[in-house]
Amino acid sequence: MRKIKKHKLPFISITYWFLLLYIVSALVWWFISLERQNKQMYIYRFEQLRKDEPFYAEKILALDDAKARKSMQYIGEGLTFFVLIMVGAAYVYRTIRRQIKIADQQQNFMMAITHELKTPIAVARLNLETLQKRKLQPELQEKLIANTLIETNRLNTLTSNILIAAQLEGGKHHVNLQNVNFTELVDHCLRDLSGHYPSRQFTCDIHEEIWINAEPLLIQILISNLLENAVKYSSIDSSVAVHLYKENNKARFSVTDEGLGIAAQEKKKIFNKFYRVGSEAMRKTKGTGLGLFLCKKIVRDHKGNIVVIDNKPQGSIFIVQIPLLKNNVNEYTA
């Protein structure tokens, strides 16, 4: 089934261009046939004329003019049909190509979401069955309960991402703006992530009392997704740097990792819905392809912007800028 999907686009492309070539060839043959008919009519009318009849020269000129006008008519009609065919063909080809890619991305999404959902459910179920069937020491019980809570929180985050992404894209989620302490949200997300990845090292430079006009839930999802990506796409022994400060009347939040980085041609694509670098069957990192799409949507809905640049010597830096509250605009330059 996977091989069929893989070769579907080349097969459709070959078939499509063959049919297009056939249509263009038919158009050219139509022009040649009409032009040949025009020439035959000219010869027939020319042979009907007699040199001794009055206005012979004028009638020859009239025949030449009629032949030329017919040729120009056929050329004009042919070019018009050719342009319409090529414009329509390009539009249809791009649409089909886009739909096939979207279908493939959706299939990758279904594969990824299945794995993402099964893992926390399986871990939570195993922990609960262990607690039910065995009498454990209090310390071990607490550890299993804490682990179960972490997995259920992970499951809750995943379902929230899917729900919020669908609502934002469909315009059904009304952003509830309020005064939000950006600093506290970043601190809260970092504490949660540190609990989930106790062995990871985080370097933080977070300034106090940075306030923005935003919806807390959406900003928390934004922060969590960027931090999770930085952890997932970098090695265990590398550090993740988090910065938050004021710059030019905006809150500037950045997450820096030391992973493999992102190729230049991929930097714009990674914010597309369902898009993930590489093949779903080959990649090792977990994900659904919704995280960065959701981040960009959230940032735009808060009148901000998000970009990704290269970290030196390796890795990526995701930078988010969101307007500050009017009474919280003291500038700081890093």
Side-chain angles (χ1 to χ4, degrees):
M1 183 66 183
R2 193 68 189 171
K3 290 182 179 178
I4 294 175
K5 288 286 290 181
K6 184 178 180 181
H7 294 92
K8 181 184 289 185
L9 185 58
F11 173 76
I12 290 177
S13 297
I14 293 171
T15 305
Y16 179 84
W17 289 113
F18 174 78
L19 292 175
L20 181 61
L21 181 61
Y22 175 81
I23 293 172
V24 173
S25 300
L27 180 64
V28 172
W29 178 251
W30 167 81
F31 172 76
I32 294 173
S33 299
L34 289 178
E35 187 62 24
R36 185 181 299 166
Q37 184 182 16
N38 184 33
K39 186 176 181 180
Q40 290 174 348
M41 289 298 298
Y42 172 82
I43 294 173
Y44 173 76
R45 290 174 180 173
F46 178 80
E47 290 175 347
Q48 296 298 313
L49 295 177
R50 298 192 309 275
K51 293 184 179 180
D52 57 347
E53 67 180 65
F55 307 109
Y56 175 79
E58 287 81 355
K59 289 180 180 180
I60 293 294
L61 291 175
L63 285 177
D64 291 338
D65 183 61
K67 179 177 177 293
R69 281 190 287 107
K70 277 292 183 181
S71 295
M72 291 304 298
Q73 178 185 342
Y74 298 149
I75 292 173
E77 291 175 351
L79 288 175
T80 301
F81 286 138
F82 178 77
V83 170
L84 290 175
I85 289 171
M86 295 307 295
V87 170
Y91 175 77
V92 171
Y93 182 74
R94 289 183 61 186
T95 302
I96 294 174
R97 186 183 179 89
R98 188 185 306 117
Q99 291 301 318
I100 291 175
K101 287 188 174 181
I102 289 174
D104 192 50
Q105 289 173 353
Q106 288 175 339
Q107 184 180 19
N108 287 344
F109 171 75
M110 293 305 298
M111 293 174 61
I113 200 67
T114 301
H115 295 150
E116 289 283 301
L117 288 172
K118 286 179 68 175
T119 301
I121 291 173
V123 172
R125 180 178 179 178
L126 180 62
N127 290 343
L128 292 174
E129 287 178 348
T130 303
L131 290 170
Q132 185 184 43
K133 295 178 180 179
R134 297 185 181 183
K135 200 169 184 179
L136 304 174
Q137 296 294 328
E139 295 81 5
L140 186 55
Q141 287 184 5
E142 290 294 328
K143 184 177 180 180
L144 288 177
I145 292 172
N147 191 21
T148 303
L149 288 173
I150 288 174
E151 294 300 329
T152 53
N153 285 335
R154 176 181 166 189
L155 190 60
N156 180 62
T157 300
L158 179 61
T159 52
S160 295
N161 277 354
I162 297 172
L163 180 62
I164 293 296
Q167 290 177 342
L168 288 176
E169 190 178 27
K172 297 179 180 180
H173 183 89
H174 178 67
V175 180
N176 182 24
L177 299 178
Q178 52 186 284
N179 295 347
V180 175
N181 191 327
F182 204 163
T183 303
E184 288 185 358
L185 285 180
V186 174
D187 285 335
H188 175 73
C189 291
L190 277 171
R191 284 196 301 269
D192 283 350
L193 200 65
S194 297
H196 192 49
Y197 301 98
S199 61
R200 297 305 298 262
Q201 179 182 356
F202 295 92
T203 305
C204 304
D205 181 15
I206 303 172
H207 286 227
E208 298 293 333
E209 299 300 319
I210 295 183
W211 291 79
I212 59 176
N213 192 29
E215 180 172 332
L217 174 61
L218 296 183
I219 299 301
Q220 186 172 343
I221 290 174
L222 166 70
I223 299 168
S224 296
N225 283 339
L226 291 178
L227 292 175
E228 284 276 359
N229 276 359
V231 171
K232 285 193 299 185
Y233 292 98
S234 57
S235 60
I236 297 177
D237 57 347
S238 64
S239 65
V240 175
V242 182
H243 296 83
L244 176 64
Y245 54 85
K246 302 175 187 177
E247 183 182 65
N248 299 326
N249 297 338
K250 293 182 179 180
R252 189 181 192 274
F253 173 67
S254 66
V255 178
T256 304
D257 65 66
E258 298 175 355
L260 296 177
I262 302 171
Q265 64 270 21
E266 303 284 350
K267 282 187 170 65
K268 291 184 179 180
K269 297 179 183 179
I270 59 173
F271 293 104
N272 294 339
K273 190 177 182 181
F274 300 138
Y275 186 83
R276 298 188 70 207
V277 178
S279 167
E280 194 64 45
M282 299 297 293
R283 67 173 64 92
K284 297 180 180 179
T285 54
K286 298 178 181 179
T288 60
L290 284 178
L292 291 178
F293 164 78
L294 194 54
C295 288
K296 185 173 183 179
K297 186 70 176 171
I298 290 172
V299 171
R300 283 189 171 181
D301 286 348
H302 287 82
K303 300 179 180 179
N305 66 289
I306 180 171
V307 295
V308 56
I309 60 175
D310 292 331
N311 183 30
K312 303 298 182 182
Q314 70 175 28
S316 302
I317 306 174
F318 284 86
I319 302 172
V320 173
Q321 291 182 311
I322 297 177
L324 292 164
L325 286 176
K326 292 183 179 180
N327 58 350
N328 190 236
V329 295
N330 295 325
E331 293 185 7
Y332 169 78
T333 302

